[in-house]
Coordinates of all heavy atoms in Angstrom, one line a residue:
G32 N 71.2 -12.9 -138.7 CA 70.3 -11.9 -138.4 C 69.2 -12.2 -137.4 O 68.9 -11.4 -136.5
V33 N 68.7 -13.4 -137.5 CA 67.7 -13.9 -136.5 C 68.3 -14.0 -135.1 O 67.7 -13.5 -134.1 CB 67.0 -15.2 -136.9 CG1 66.3 -15.8 -135.8 CG2 66.1 -15.0 -138.2
I34 N 69.5 -14.5 -135.1 CA 70.1 -14.7 -133.8 C 70.4 -13.3 -133.1 O 70.1 -13.1 -131.9 CB 71.5 -15.5 -133.9 CG1 71.2 -16.9 -134.2 CG2 72.3 -15.4 -132.6 CD1 72.4 -17.8 -134.7
F35 N 70.9 -12.4 -133.9 CA 71.2 -11.1 -133.3 C 69.9 -10.2 -133.0 O 69.9 -9.5 -132.1 CB 72.3 -10.3 -134.1 CG 73.6 -10.8 -133.7 CD1 74.2 -11.8 -134.5 CD2 74.2 -10.4 -132.5 CE1 75.5 -12.3 -134.1 CE2 75.5 -10.9 -132.2 CZ 76.1 -11.9 -132.9
T36 N 68.9 -10.4 -133.9 CA 67.7 -9.7 -133.6 C 67.1 -10.2 -132.3 O 66.6 -9.4 -131.5 CB 66.7 -9.9 -134.8 OG1 67.2 -9.4 -136.0 CG2 65.4 -9.2 -134.5
V37 N 67.1 -11.5 -132.1 CA 66.6 -12.0 -130.8 C 67.4 -11.6 -129.6 O 66.8 -11.2 -128.6 CB 66.5 -13.6 -130.9 CG1 66.1 -14.2 -129.5 CG2 65.4 -14.0 -131.9
H38 N 68.7 -11.6 -129.7 CA 69.5 -11.1 -128.6 C 69.3 -9.6 -128.4 O 69.3 -9.2 -127.2 CB 71.0 -11.4 -128.9 CG 71.5 -12.7 -128.6 ND1 71.8 -13.1 -127.3 CD2 71.7 -13.8 -129.4 CE1 72.2 -14.4 -127.4 NE2 72.1 -14.8 -128.6
G39 N 69.2 -8.9 -129.5 CA 68.9 -7.4 -129.3 C 67.5 -7.2 -128.7 O 67.3 -6.3 -127.9
A40 N 66.5 -8.0 -129.0 CA 65.2 -7.9 -128.5 C 65.2 -8.2 -127.0 O 64.5 -7.6 -126.2 CB 64.2 -8.9 -129.2
Q41 N 66.1 -9.1 -126.5 CA 66.2 -9.4 -125.1 C 66.7 -8.1 -124.4 O 66.3 -7.8 -123.3 CB 67.3 -10.5 -124.9 CG 66.7 -11.9 -125.2 CD 67.8 -12.9 -124.9 OE1 68.9 -12.8 -125.4 NE2 67.4 -13.9 -124.1
K42 N 67.7 -7.5 -125.0 CA 68.3 -6.3 -124.4 C 67.4 -5.1 -124.5 O 67.3 -4.2 -123.6 CB 69.7 -6.0 -125.1 CG 70.7 -7.0 -124.8 CD 72.0 -6.6 -125.5 CE 73.1 -7.6 -125.2 NZ 73.0 -8.9 -125.8
L43 N 66.7 -4.9 -125.7 CA 65.9 -3.7 -125.9 C 64.6 -3.8 -125.2 O 64.1 -2.8 -124.6 CB 65.7 -3.5 -127.4 CG 65.0 -2.3 -127.9 CD1 65.8 -1.0 -127.5 CD2 64.9 -2.3 -129.4
F44 N 63.9 -4.9 -125.4 CA 62.5 -5.0 -124.9 C 62.3 -5.9 -123.7 O 61.2 -6.0 -123.1 CB 61.6 -5.5 -126.0 CG 61.7 -4.8 -127.3 CD1 62.1 -5.4 -128.4 CD2 61.3 -3.4 -127.3 CE1 62.2 -4.7 -129.6 CE2 61.3 -2.7 -128.5 CZ 61.8 -3.4 -129.7
G45 N 63.4 -6.6 -123.3 CA 63.2 -7.6 -122.2 C 62.5 -8.9 -122.7 O 62.1 -9.7 -121.9
A46 N 62.5 -9.1 -124.0 CA 61.8 -10.2 -124.6 C 62.6 -11.5 -124.4 O 63.8 -11.4 -124.1 CB 61.7 -10.0 -126.1
F47 N 62.0 -12.6 -124.4 CA 62.6 -13.9 -124.3 C 63.4 -14.0 -123.0 O 64.5 -14.6 -123.0 CB 63.5 -14.2 -125.5 CG 62.8 -14.0 -126.8 CD1 63.2 -12.9 -127.6 CD2 61.9 -14.9 -127.3 CE1 62.6 -12.7 -128.8 CE2 61.2 -14.7 -128.5 CZ 61.6 -13.6 -129.3
G48 N 62.9 -13.5 -121.9 CA 63.6 -13.5 -120.6 C 64.8 -12.6 -120.5 O 65.6 -12.8 -119.6
G49 N 64.9 -11.7 -121.4 CA 66.1 -10.7 -121.4 C 66.0 -9.7 -120.3 O 64.9 -9.5 -119.8
P50 N 67.0 -8.9 -120.1 CA 67.0 -7.9 -119.0 C 66.3 -6.6 -119.4 O 65.9 -5.9 -118.5 CB 68.5 -7.7 -118.8 CG 69.1 -8.0 -120.2 CD 68.3 -9.1 -120.8
G51 N 66.2 -6.3 -120.6 CA 65.6 -5.0 -121.0 C 66.6 -3.9 -121.0 O 67.7 -4.1 -120.5
L52 N 66.3 -2.8 -121.7 CA 67.3 -1.7 -121.9 C 67.8 -1.1 -120.7 O 69.0 -0.9 -120.6 CB 66.6 -0.7 -122.9 CG 67.6 0.4 -123.4 CD1 68.8 -0.2 -124.1 CD2 66.8 1.4 -124.2
S53 N 67.0 -0.8 -119.7 CA 67.5 -0.1 -118.5 C 68.5 -1.0 -117.8 O 69.5 -0.5 -117.3 CB 66.3 0.3 -117.6 OG 65.6 -0.9 -117.2
A54 N 68.2 -2.3 -117.7 CA 69.2 -3.2 -117.0 C 70.5 -3.3 -117.8 O 71.6 -3.3 -117.2 CB 68.6 -4.5 -116.8
V55 N 70.4 -3.3 -119.1 CA 71.6 -3.4 -120.0 C 72.5 -2.1 -119.8 O 73.7 -2.2 -119.6 CB 71.3 -3.6 -121.4 CG1 72.5 -3.4 -122.3 CG2 70.6 -5.0 -121.6
V56 N 71.8 -0.9 -119.8 CA 72.5 0.3 -119.6 C 73.1 0.4 -118.2 O 74.2 0.9 -118.0 CB 71.6 1.5 -120.0 CG1 72.3 2.8 -119.6 CG2 71.2 1.5 -121.5
Q57 N 72.4 -0.1 -117.2 CA 72.9 0.0 -115.9 C 74.2 -0.9 -115.8 O 75.1 -0.6 -115.1 CB 71.8 -0.6 -114.9 CG 72.2 -0.4 -113.5 CD 71.1 -0.9 -112.5 OE1 70.1 -1.5 -113.0 NE2 71.2 -0.5 -111.3
M58 N 74.2 -2.1 -116.5 CA 75.3 -3.0 -116.4 C 76.5 -2.5 -117.3 O 77.6 -2.5 -116.9 CB 74.9 -4.3 -116.9 CG 76.0 -5.4 -117.0 SD 75.4 -7.0 -117.6 CE 74.9 -6.7 -119.2
M59 N 76.2 -1.9 -118.5 CA 77.2 -1.6 -119.4 C 77.5 -0.1 -119.5 O 78.5 0.3 -120.2 CB 76.9 -2.1 -120.8 CG 76.7 -3.6 -120.9 SD 76.3 -4.1 -122.6 CE 77.8 -3.8 -123.5
G60 N 76.7 0.7 -119.0 CA 76.8 2.2 -119.1 C 76.2 2.6 -120.5 O 75.5 1.8 -121.1
P61 N 76.6 3.8 -121.0 CA 76.0 4.3 -122.2 C 76.4 3.4 -123.4 O 75.6 3.4 -124.4 CB 76.7 5.6 -122.4 CG 77.2 6.0 -121.1 CD 77.4 4.8 -120.3
L62 N 77.4 2.6 -123.3 CA 77.8 1.6 -124.4 C 76.6 0.6 -124.6 O 76.4 0.1 -125.7 CB 79.1 0.9 -124.0 CG 79.7 0.0 -125.1 CD1 80.1 0.9 -126.3 CD2 80.9 -0.6 -124.5
G63 N 75.8 0.4 -123.6 CA 74.7 -0.5 -123.7 C 73.7 -0.1 -124.7 O 73.1 -1.0 -125.4
Y64 N 73.5 1.2 -124.9 CA 72.6 1.7 -126.0 C 73.1 1.2 -127.3 O 72.3 0.7 -128.2 CB 72.5 3.2 -125.9 CG 71.7 3.7 -124.7 CD1 72.4 4.5 -123.8 CD2 70.4 3.5 -124.6 CE1 71.7 5.0 -122.7 CE2 69.7 4.0 -123.5 CZ 70.4 4.8 -122.5 OH 69.7 5.3 -121.4
L65 N 74.4 1.5 -127.6 CA 75.0 1.1 -128.9 C 74.9 -0.4 -129.2 O 74.6 -0.8 -130.3 CB 76.4 1.6 -129.0 CG 76.6 3.1 -129.0 CD1 78.1 3.5 -128.9 CD2 75.9 3.8 -130.2
V66 N 75.3 -1.2 -128.2 CA 75.2 -2.6 -128.3 C 73.8 -3.1 -128.6 O 73.6 -3.9 -129.5 CB 75.8 -3.3 -127.1 CG1 75.6 -4.8 -127.1 CG2 77.3 -3.0 -127.0
T67 N 72.9 -2.6 -127.8 CA 71.5 -3.0 -128.0 C 70.9 -2.7 -129.4 O 70.4 -3.5 -130.1 CB 70.6 -2.4 -126.9 OG1 71.1 -2.8 -125.6 CG2 69.2 -2.8 -127.0
V68 N 71.1 -1.4 -129.8 CA 70.6 -1.0 -131.1 C 71.4 -1.7 -132.2 O 70.7 -2.1 -133.2 CB 70.8 0.6 -131.2 CG1 70.6 1.0 -132.6 CG2 69.8 1.3 -130.3
G69 N 72.7 -1.9 -132.0 CA 73.5 -2.6 -133.0 C 73.0 -4.0 -133.2 O 72.9 -4.5 -134.4
E70 N 72.7 -4.7 -132.1 CA 72.3 -6.1 -132.3 C 70.9 -6.2 -132.9 O 70.7 -7.0 -133.8 CB 72.3 -6.8 -130.9 CG 73.7 -7.1 -130.4 CD 73.7 -8.0 -129.2 OE1 72.6 -8.4 -128.6 OE2 74.8 -8.2 -128.7
F71 N 70.0 -5.4 -132.3 CA 68.6 -5.5 -132.8 C 68.4 -5.1 -134.2 O 68.0 -5.8 -135.1 CB 67.6 -4.8 -131.9 CG 66.2 -4.9 -132.3 CD1 65.5 -6.1 -132.0 CD2 65.5 -3.9 -132.9 CE1 64.2 -6.3 -132.4 CE2 64.2 -4.1 -133.3 CZ 63.5 -5.3 -133.0
F72 N 68.8 -3.8 -134.5 CA 68.6 -3.3 -135.9 C 69.6 -3.8 -136.9 O 69.3 -4.0 -138.0 CB 68.6 -1.7 -135.8 CG 67.4 -1.2 -135.1 CD1 67.4 -0.7 -133.9 CD2 66.1 -1.2 -135.8 CE1 66.3 -0.2 -133.2 CE2 65.0 -0.8 -135.1 CZ 65.1 -0.2 -133.8

Side-chain angles (χ1 to χ4, degrees):
V33 166
I34 290 168
F35 279 96
T36 300
V37 171
H38 278 280
Q41 287 181 307
K42 291 177 177 74
L43 187 59
F44 306 117
F47 311 107
L52 187 58
S53 60
V55 170
V56 172
Q57 187 175 14
M58 178 179 64
M59 298 178 72
L62 190 60
Y64 290 113
L65 294 174
V66 169
T67 300
V68 167
E70 285 186 4
F71 183 75
F72 290 104

